[in-house]
Amino acid sequence: MTISYNWLSEYLSEVIEPEKLSRILTSIGLEVESLEKYESIKGGLNGLIIGEVIQCDLHPNADKLKITRVSIGEKESLQIVCGASNVAAGQKVVVATVGTTIYPIHGEPITMKVAKIRGIESFGMICAEDEIGLGVSHEGIIVLPNDAVVGKSAAEYFQLYTDWIYEIGLTPNRMEAMSHYGVAKDVCAYLTHHNKKETKPKSIFNNIFKPDNVSLPIKVTVQNPEACPRYAGVTISNITVANSPQWLKNKLMAIGLRPINNIVDITNYILHETGQPLHAFDVAAIKNNHVIVKNLQAGTTFVTLDEKERKLVANDLMICNGNEEPMCIGGVFGGLHSGVNTSTKNIFLESACFNSIAIRRTSLHHGLRTDAATRFEKGVDISNTVHVLKRAALLIKEIAGGEISSEVVDVYPMPKEKVQIAIKYHYLKKLSGKNYHPDAVKRILVALGFEIVKEGIDELWVAIPFSKPDISLPADIVEEIVRIDGLDSIDIPSTITISPATDQYGIKEKLREKIANYLAAQGFNEIFTNSITNSNYFDKEVLQTAVKMINNLSAELDVLRPSMLETGLESIIYNINRKNTNLQLFEFGKTYYSSEVGKYKEEEHLSLYITGNNHENFWRQKSKPLDFFTAKGIVTSIVNLLGLIDYRIEQNENEFQIFCGKKELGKLALVASNKLQLFDIKQPVYFIDFNFSEILKAIEKQKIVYKEVPKFQSVQRDLALVVANTVTYEFIEAVVKKIKLPKLQSMRLFDVFESDKLGANKKSLAISFTFLDEEKTLTDKEIDSIVNKLIENLEKEVAAEIRK
C-alpha cells in the first residue's frame, strides 16, 4: 500500500514530521517498509538557477557555437559556451552552474564541470527542457518570460511538487487502512490515546450536496441483492472531459498512478482517499435510462476496457443497461463501450458495495486484479457508500463543470446492523499480558470508531464500525487495543506459565536440525521456495497427477509443485543473474500429487542443489568445479550422519538411486540440459532429493547398538590395482564386500592414476584397507593371509594387476 505524506497530512490536525509519522504507523500495525522522497522531476532541479543572458557573441573557432555572459544574480557573471540556435542576449534562461548535477530525460545524470570547448572555457550550461527533465524538446534552450527573477532557484520558479512516500506492508485484515483517510483515523486514535487529548481527522464529508435539477434520472434495479447489498448512483450532466488540475495530477503521480482525464482521475482520487471504488458510465450507453444489476447466462461474451473479449461465468455479477446488455463487470472492470471518453457530456456515477467472495471469484477467474476488486474482496464500508458518492459528485462538478441532474438513487433493501461484541477485561489482560485501565480501553475504542453499547464491572459491549468488517471476535478487539497502545509498551513478564505437552514431532524436528546444522557447516545455505509453481515447467505426464489451483493468484502460479527441482532452479537462476554462481543450497519442503480424483497426497523432501565451484579463487588454492563426486560425498555423509548402515547407491539410467535395504530413500542426478534451458541456466546443476518420510521410517527401524571402543590398534595396507578404464571403484567395493572378510574394517580410494605406460585403456586405483581384530593384535602373517585372499579375488573377479 502506497501512502503520500502530504496527502495524509491534510487530514491530520497537527503537523507530524515524516520520520516520526513513520514510527507511529509501524507502531499501530501499519509497518513502513520504505520511506522515500518523491520529486515530480528527478533531482528536483537542485542547483539550477534562473539567469539572464547579458552578452552573446559568435565563437571564433566554431560556426554553430556562441560565447555568452550570463548573470545569475551574483557579482560576477558566468562565461558559458552554448550551442543552441535560439540563444540571444536579454533572454531569461535556466542555468546549471559548475558542480550541479542534471538529470536528462534520456541518459545518465551529468555533473557540470569547467570545460574547454574549442579553446574557450565554459563555466556551466544553459539548459534545454529535455536536459533537466522538464520536457522532451531539444530544439533549443528554455526561454523564460521577462518577469522571471534572476538568481531564483529553478525549483522555486517552476513550483515543483515534492512529497514523502510510505510503502506500507499491509496485512490482509486491515482493509480500513487501504486509504489515506483510513490511515489518518488510525493515526488520530494513536494521538488521542498517547496525548490524552481527543484528536479527530478533518472531515471530508459535508452536508452541502443538493441536486441542481432532476432532468436526467436513472432507474436502478438490483436483481441479486446478496451479491450487491447496496447500490447507489447519481447523474451529472453537461460535464467537460479534460485534463485534471495540477494538484490532482501531483497527488496521483506521487503514489504511482498515471493521470488520464478529470473524471477518471477523480474516481481514482476518491478510491485512494476513502477506500471506496467508484465507476463512471457514459449515460449514452445506459439504454432506457435503466441500470440493472444481475447475473447473465454463462458463456455470454463481454468486451472489457482492455479490448479483450471475455466469456462470462454464471456467478459474474454484471452492471447492465435497460436492454440487459452488459456494461461493466460489477466491482471488477469496466466495459469498452460504456466508459467515459472525450466526447462524453453526461455521466452516471456508481458507488456500490459488492459481496467480497463473489468479487474475488470473478477477479481471479478472469485474471483481473484491479484496485477496485482488491478493495471489494477485503470488504468496504457499506455505511459510506452514499457519503462518498456525494463527495465525488461535488468534486466532479467543481473540476469538470456540469450540473447534478438527479437525486441520489440508493438501493439498500436489507440495511445492515452493526455487529456487537463483548470484551472482558480479564480476557484482555490474559491475551495481551497487560492490565489496561477501563478508561484507556474506552478511549482507544471510541477513537477507532467503536460505539460503547453498555458496560459492566468486568465487561464492555461495543458495536463494530462498518469500516472494520474483519472484526468478529473478542480477540480482534484485543488486537485493536494493543496495536494503538503499542506492542512495545507491553512489559516482558518475569515468569512464563506453560503446559507440558508430548512432542509429537520431536524426532523429525531434531533430525531436520541435525541435518541443517551439518549442511550449514559444509557451506550450504537453506532456502524456502514457494510450493505453488508454474505448470509450464512440467510435461503432460507429470501434470496428469498434479494438483491444479482453482483460484490461482496469477497465471504463472497455477499448480502445487509435483517436484522440488523446479522451484530450486528458480532460486539458482535468481542468484546467477546477480553474479552469485557458486551455490550449495538445501531445502526441506513438500511435493503434492493426486492419487485419484478428489484425493490428494503430499510428501516431505530434503532437496539439495549443487552448482558452480567449491570456492572463489585465491592465491593459495584454485577453485574446482562442484561435480558428481562432491554430490555423492554429500549423500554418503548425510546417510552416515543419520546412522544408516545398510545403504547403497545404484545407477539407473541417467540418475543414481539411494537405497537403505530394499527401500529407496532418494536420488542423485545431473539436471538434464533441456530442463536447465527452461530456466536459462548455462552451468551444470546436481540435484539430490531425499524422501524425508522414508528416511524417518528407516531410522525408526534402525537398532542402536553400543559397541566398546577397540583396545587394539588397527592396521593399514595399501594396494595399487591396474584395471580397465571401465571398472568403477563401486564395483571393486562390491567384490570386496562379497568376500566377507571379518577383520576388514574399512576401505578407501585415495588415488586415481591414468597413463599410457600402464597400457591401453588402463588406470591405476590406489586403495587403502584397514584391518582390525577386536580381541588381539594382528600379526604380519595374518594380515598377509587376508591381503593375499583379497588379491586373489580381485585378480579373478576384476582382472586386476597388482602394481609392485
Side-chain angles (χ1 to χ4, degrees):
M1 180 67 192
T2 305
I3 294 293
S4 156
Y5 169 76
N6 291 349
W7 196 345
L8 179 61
S9 297
E10 290 179 7
Y11 310 123
L12 303 178
S13 57
E14 62 181 84
V15 177
I16 306 174
E17 293 299 315
E19 291 80 6
K20 182 181 178 182
L21 187 55
S22 176
R23 292 192 294 272
I24 291 174
L25 291 174
T26 299
S27 175
I28 60 179
L30 304 176
E31 184 180 359
V32 176
E33 296 177 342
S34 69
L35 172 59
E36 295 182 0
K37 189 172 184 180
Y38 168 82
E39 296 167 326
S40 55
I41 294 177
K42 191 173 181 181
L45 302 183
N46 290 335
L48 297 174
I49 300 172
I50 306 302
E52 182 178 6
V53 180
I54 56 177
Q55 184 179 336
C56 182
D57 301 315
L58 292 173
H59 194 295
N61 303 320
D63 295 337
K64 294 184 179 181
L65 297 178
K66 294 175 184 177
I67 303 171
T68 66
R69 301 294 303 185
V70 182
S71 169
I72 58 170
E74 298 179 357
K75 289 182 179 180
E76 296 290 330
S77 60
L78 301 177
Q79 177 176 280
I80 298 176
V81 177
C82 181
S85 60
N86 66 328
V87 65
Q91 292 175 335
K92 299 291 180 69
V93 294
V94 179
V95 180
T97 57
V98 173
T100 298
T101 300
I102 61 173
Y103 296 82
I105 290 290
H106 305 292
E108 298 297 317
I110 303 168
T111 301
M112 295 294 104
K113 298 178 181 178
V114 178
K116 188 170 280 189
I117 303 173
R118 292 291 182 94
I120 303 296
E121 283 190 319
S122 180
F123 297 86
M125 184 172 79
I126 304 174
C127 304
E129 64 177 42
D130 70 322
E131 293 170 332
I132 56 176
L134 274 175
V136 296
S137 173
H138 194 69
E139 293 178 358
I141 60 169
I142 302 170
V143 179
L144 303 175
N146 289 329
D147 60 358
V149 179
V150 174
K152 192 174 188 177
S153 72
E156 186 180 355
Y157 178 82
F158 288 104
Q159 297 181 340
L160 294 190
Y161 184 77
T162 61
D163 199 352
W164 289 94
I165 302 300
Y166 301 95
E167 282 298 332
I168 293 175
L170 204 60
T171 52
N173 64 321
R174 298 299 311 283
M175 60 72 51
E176 82 281 7
M178 294 185 74
S179 66
H180 285 76
Y181 197 67
V183 172
K185 288 196 286 188
D186 268 8
V187 172
C188 289
Y190 175 91
L191 296 174
T192 296
H193 174 63
H194 289 273
N195 296 343
K196 305 293 189 293
K197 177 184 174 184
E198 186 179 15
T199 306
K200 291 184 176 181
K202 297 176 183 177
S203 178
I204 58 174
F205 305 116
N206 53 51
N207 297 319
I208 64 172
F209 179 88
K210 184 180 179 181
D212 297 299
N213 55 67
V214 288
S215 62
L216 195 54
I218 300 291
K219 182 183 177 183
V220 174
T221 303
V222 177
Q223 294 187 5
N224 187 348
E226 184 179 345
C228 179
R230 190 173 192 180
Y231 190 97
V234 70
T235 309
I236 307 165
S237 62
N238 298 319
I239 63 166
T240 301
V241 178
N243 287 330
S244 297
Q246 195 59 46
W247 68 265
L248 181 53
K249 288 181 179 180
N250 286 338
K251 286 191 174 182
L252 295 179
M253 289 189 293
I255 60 171
L257 296 181
R258 179 176 61 88
I260 297 171
N261 61 53
N262 49 9
I263 304 300
V264 175
D265 292 349
I266 287 169
T267 60
N268 282 332
Y269 172 79
I270 294 294
L271 170 70
H272 287 272
E273 180 185 54
T274 67
Q276 172 67 49
L278 302 173
H279 190 75
F281 296 94
D282 190 330
V283 171
I286 305 177
K287 306 300 182 187
N288 303 323
N289 286 355
H290 189 185
V291 170
I292 305 172
V293 184
K294 62 177 295 184
N295 299 89
L296 294 178
Q297 188 175 355
T300 303
T301 58
F302 177 62
V303 181
T304 47
L305 201 57
D306 55 2
E307 300 184 4
K308 292 182 179 179
E309 184 176 276
R310 303 177 189 273
K311 283 191 176 182
L312 304 178
V313 293
N315 64 350
D316 290 339
L317 187 69
M318 303 301 295
I319 313 300
C320 304
N321 60 27
N323 293 341
E324 298 194 351
E325 297 166 342
M327 300 187 295
C328 171
I329 303 177
V332 179
F333 207 39
L336 182 62
H337 305 297
S338 63
V340 175
N341 55 61
T342 53
S343 62
T344 298
K345 288 298 177 186
N346 306 317
I347 64 169
F348 177 72
L349 189 63
E350 166 198 282
S351 177
C353 180
F354 296 104
N355 180 277
S356 302
I357 296 172
I359 291 294
R360 181 168 176 81
R361 284 174 178 166
T362 294
S363 171
L364 292 174
H365 175 76
H366 294 290
L368 294 169
R369 305 296 294 154
T370 59
D371 281 345
T374 302
R375 283 159 176 79
F376 279 127
E377 71 183 30
K378 295 185 189 313
V380 297
D381 185 349
I382 196 170
S383 67
N384 251 357
T385 305
V386 172
H387 297 310
V388 173
L389 178 66
K390 290 178 178 180
R391 172 163 172 75
L394 290 172
L395 199 55
I396 289 173
K397 181 180 175 182
E398 176 189 336
I399 292 174
E403 302 169 329
I404 298 174
S405 299
S406 75
E407 296 285 353
V408 170
V409 181
D410 184 16
V411 181
Y412 193 11
M414 296 175 285
K416 193 174 180 182
E417 296 292 332
K418 285 187 177 181
V419 175
Q420 294 186 9
I421 298 177
I423 175 76
K424 295 183 182 293
Y425 290 112
H426 76 270
Y427 176 76
L428 171 60
K429 181 182 179 181
K430 178 183 177 182
L431 211 59
S432 68
K434 184 175 180 178
N435 192 12
Y436 285 94
H437 193 280
D439 290 343
V441 172
K442 287 184 284 185
R443 184 169 58 245
I444 290 173
L445 293 177
V446 170
L448 286 171
F450 290 81
E451 183 184 331
I452 307 298
V453 178
K454 61 180 179 179
E455 55 182 308
I457 298 174
D458 186 45
E459 189 177 55
L460 185 68
W461 279 86
V462 293
I464 312 302
F466 290 114
S467 60
K468 297 179 179 290
D470 63 294
I471 294 180
S472 58
L473 301 168
D476 298 329
I477 305 289
V478 175
E479 180 187 355
E480 293 291 288
I481 295 167
V482 169
R483 70 179 183 83
I484 295 300
D485 182 49
L487 292 170
D488 294 340
S489 67
I490 297 176
D491 297 327
I492 298 173
S494 56
T495 59
I496 298 176
T497 305
I498 61 170
S499 301
T502 56
D503 192 354
Q504 182 179 353
Y505 304 103
I507 296 174
K508 182 170 76 173
E509 293 305 319
K510 285 175 184 176
L511 279 175
R512 284 182 59 154
E513 190 71 16
K514 186 176 184 180
I515 295 169
N517 286 339
Y518 170 76
L519 291 173
Q522 297 302 310
F524 279 77
N525 288 297
E526 186 171 6
I527 60 174
F528 298 90
T529 61
N530 195 347
S531 58
I532 306 174
T533 188
N534 193 335
S535 60
N536 292 330
Y537 294 156
F538 308 97
D539 56 34
K540 291 181 180 179
E541 185 179 350
V542 173
L543 290 175
Q544 284 179 355
T545 57
V547 181
K548 298 176 180 65
M549 304 290 291
I550 296 174
N551 291 327
N552 47 302
L553 296 173
S554 69
E556 292 77 25
L557 300 173
D558 59 348
V559 65
L560 289 174
R561 63 183 173 200
S563 161
M564 295 290 292
L565 174 61
E566 288 71 19
T567 52
L569 293 178
E570 287 180 335
S571 291
I572 288 173
I573 190 59
Y574 180 88
N575 279 272
I576 289 174
N577 288 340
R578 287 153 181 79
K579 308 301 181 184
N580 186 20
T581 57
N582 302 328
L583 300 166
Q584 296 183 80
L585 310 173
F586 74 96
E587 177 179 16
F588 291 96
K590 292 181 179 180
T591 58
Y592 309 84
Y593 64 95
S594 57
S595 54
E596 54 185 281
V597 177
K599 293 189 177 181
Y600 305 101
K601 292 188 176 180
E602 60 183 33
E603 288 183 347
E604 291 190 78
H605 292 257
L606 164 62
S607 299
L608 296 88
Y609 314 87
I610 301 170
T611 186
N613 296 331
N614 58 348
H615 56 73
E616 298 292 338
N617 280 322
F618 65 101
W619 69 277
R620 291 192 64 185
Q621 188 176 3
K622 290 185 177 181
S623 62
K624 294 180 180 179
L626 295 166
D627 55 14
F628 167 78
F629 297 104
T630 307
K632 186 180 178 184
I634 291 293
V635 170
T636 303
S637 299
I638 290 174
V639 174
N640 287 333
L641 179 74
L642 299 176
L644 299 174
I645 300 170
D646 185 21
Y647 76 92
R648 66 189 185 281
I649 301 174
E650 295 181 0
Q651 186 171 3
N652 181 16
E653 295 182 354
N654 297 325
E655 64 182 26
F656 290 81
Q657 293 173 294
I658 307 159
F659 288 92
C660 183
K662 295 181 180 180
K663 281 286 184 182
E664 184 181 352
L665 298 184
K667 63 183 180 182
L668 158 63
L670 174 65
V671 180
S673 58
N674 61 340
K675 181 67 78 173
L676 295 179
Q677 286 172 6
L678 196 61
F679 294 86
D680 198 27
I681 298 174
K682 297 179 175 62
Q683 61 188 54
V685 178
Y686 290 90
F687 176 54
I688 303 167
D689 187 33
F690 284 103
N691 186 318
F692 199 65
S693 300
E694 291 299 334
I695 286 179
L696 288 172
K697 291 176 184 176
I699 289 173
E700 288 172 358
K701 291 178 181 178
Q702 195 82 27
K703 291 183 179 179
I704 299 174
V705 179
Y706 169 75
K707 200 173 185 180
E708 189 178 353
V709 177
K711 298 178 181 178
F712 302 96
Q713 285 188 332
S714 59
V715 180
Q716 287 186 337
R717 289 287 188 272
D718 298 339
L719 292 177
L721 310 177
V722 178
V723 295
N725 271 337
T726 54
V727 175
T728 63
Y729 172 71
E730 185 181 32
F731 178 67
I732 294 173
E733 195 176 35
V735 169
V736 171
K737 285 181 179 179
K738 196 174 177 182
I739 304 171
K740 295 182 180 178
L741 299 170
K743 302 292 189 293
L744 178 62
Q745 190 180 39
S746 64
M747 58 185 292
R748 177 176 60 88
L749 175 69
F750 66 89
D751 187 44
V752 178
F753 175 69
E754 293 181 281
S755 172
D756 293 338
K757 295 178 180 178
L758 297 174
N761 300 321
K762 296 284 187 178
K763 64 181 177 183
S764 173
L765 302 179
I767 303 174
S768 176
F769 296 91
T770 301
F771 304 100
L772 174 69
D773 189 329
E774 296 180 356
E775 296 181 355
K776 62 183 178 64
T777 302
L778 286 170
T779 63
D780 287 342
K781 186 176 180 181
E782 289 173 316
I783 296 167
D784 290 341
S785 173
I786 298 169
V787 170
N788 288 335
K789 190 174 182 179
L790 261 175
I791 293 171
E792 181 182 337
N793 278 273
L794 290 170
E795 288 175 340
K796 180 180 178 182
E797 299 289 338
V798 188
E801 299 176 24
I802 308 302
R803 292 180 66 191
K804 305 297 184 181

